[in-house]
Amino acid sequence: MSSNQHANQGETAHDFMGVLPQQALVELSEIQQVQSFLDGELIHQRGDHGDGLSIVLSGAVKMGNYGNDGRYFLSKLLLPGESFGEFVVFADLPRTHTAEAVGDTQLGYVSGSVLKQALTNSPALAHALLVSLSKRLHQSLETIDDLKRLPLAGRLAKLLLLIARETQKHKAVAISQEQIAAQLGVSRISISKSLKQLSQLGFVKTGYQTIYLTSPDKLAAWVAQQSQTLVLN
């Protein structure tokens, strides 16, 4: 990979949940094969088996699944610096989601055997991957807990705050109601009702494919109050 590509990764890889640190990306760049995908091109399907780790170098990858009725459920949008494929490498598990390119996308692919050798040679790289996986597991467990306990408005608020933090756009989240509905697995009408509720509370304003957070701190405090649980000592 060229030095310009490294610089671009450094500019785009903000504090995303599960993003790999710059040093890990540099180490992986020495052993990866670059793969290119066009917008909307299939990368892999749910149920496929694989043998490698993929790192998003440019563009983006959407992870989701299609229901029997053709409805699409978005689980995660992976941005530069994020990786996928750890399950197939370390646990020989099938793919859990269908992956598709969003925009012209480049991936760095590292085969399982090459990756395992690199992790043996570089404890720092192994630690970076463990931290990345731990963050994503933590987020997944939070999401499962939210599904059990939080009303939709609370889950929506947490999602907006997370996206705002990840993109460093603290008061403007560039996302459509359709995209929110797909990510939360609900209807657009339900999202519209929840946005109206948050708007009436004075937390958000809606615009064209953008949600404006009028008071992020107050919204975060409201979410924390909604999320309160008993802490066992």
Side-chain angles (χ1 to χ4, degrees), residues 20 26 30 34 81 93 98 130 159 164 176 178 215 222:
L20 290 168
V26 171
E30 304 300 327
V34 177
L93 293 171
T98 293
L130 282 173
L159 176 64
S176 69
E178 288 82 2
S215 181
W222 180 80

Side-chain angles (χ1 to χ4, degrees), residues 42-46 48 63 84 95-100:
L42 178 69
I43 298 171
H44 65 245
Q45 290 184 321
R46 172 181 169 84
D48 286 350
M63 294 285 189
F84 60 94
R95 306 285 189 180
T96 57
H97 294 82
T98 293
E100 298 170 83

Side-chain angles (χ1 to χ4, degrees), residues 70-223:
R71 185 179 173 190
Y72 182 74
F73 295 90
L74 176 68
S75 294
K76 176 69 174 175
L77 184 67
L78 301 178
L79 299 172
E82 295 187 275
S83 62
F84 60 94
E86 293 89 347
F87 292 162
V88 302
V89 173
F90 300 117
D92 194 28
L93 293 171
R95 306 285 189 180
T96 57
H97 294 82
T98 293
E100 298 170 83
V102 179
D104 291 341
T105 297
Q106 283 194 326
L107 302 178
Y109 175 81
V110 183
S111 70
S113 58
V114 171
L115 178 63
K116 290 174 183 177
Q117 184 61 52
L119 296 179
T120 300
N121 296 336
S122 175
L125 178 58
H127 179 264
L129 280 176
L130 282 173
V131 170
S132 171
L133 276 171
S134 297
K135 287 182 177 180
R136 284 153 54 190
L137 176 59
H138 181 271
Q139 185 180 3
S140 297
L141 292 174
E142 282 282 303
T143 299
I144 293 171
D145 186 60
D146 290 344
L147 282 170
K148 294 179 177 179
R149 297 190 301 105
L150 282 184
L152 179 57
R155 285 155 43 209
L156 170 59
K158 286 190 71 170
L159 176 64
L160 294 175
L161 288 168
L162 176 63
I163 296 174
R165 184 175 76 245
E166 289 183 341
T167 58
Q168 296 190 347
K169 302 292 185 181
H170 300 297
K171 291 194 174 183
V173 177
I175 190 170
S176 69
Q177 294 188 29
E178 288 82 2
Q179 289 171 319
I180 296 173
Q183 187 146 341
L184 293 179
V186 297
S187 69
R188 185 188 178 283
I189 294 176
S190 297
I191 293 300
S192 181
K193 290 179 179 178
S194 293
L195 281 172
K196 183 177 180 180
Q197 179 182 345
L198 295 178
S199 177
Q200 290 173 340
L201 291 170
F203 297 142
V204 305
K205 290 183 180 179
T206 58
Y208 177 68
Q209 294 193 345
T210 303
I211 311 298
Y212 298 96
L213 308 185
T214 55
S215 181
D217 291 341
K218 290 182 179 179
L219 179 58
W222 180 80
V223 170

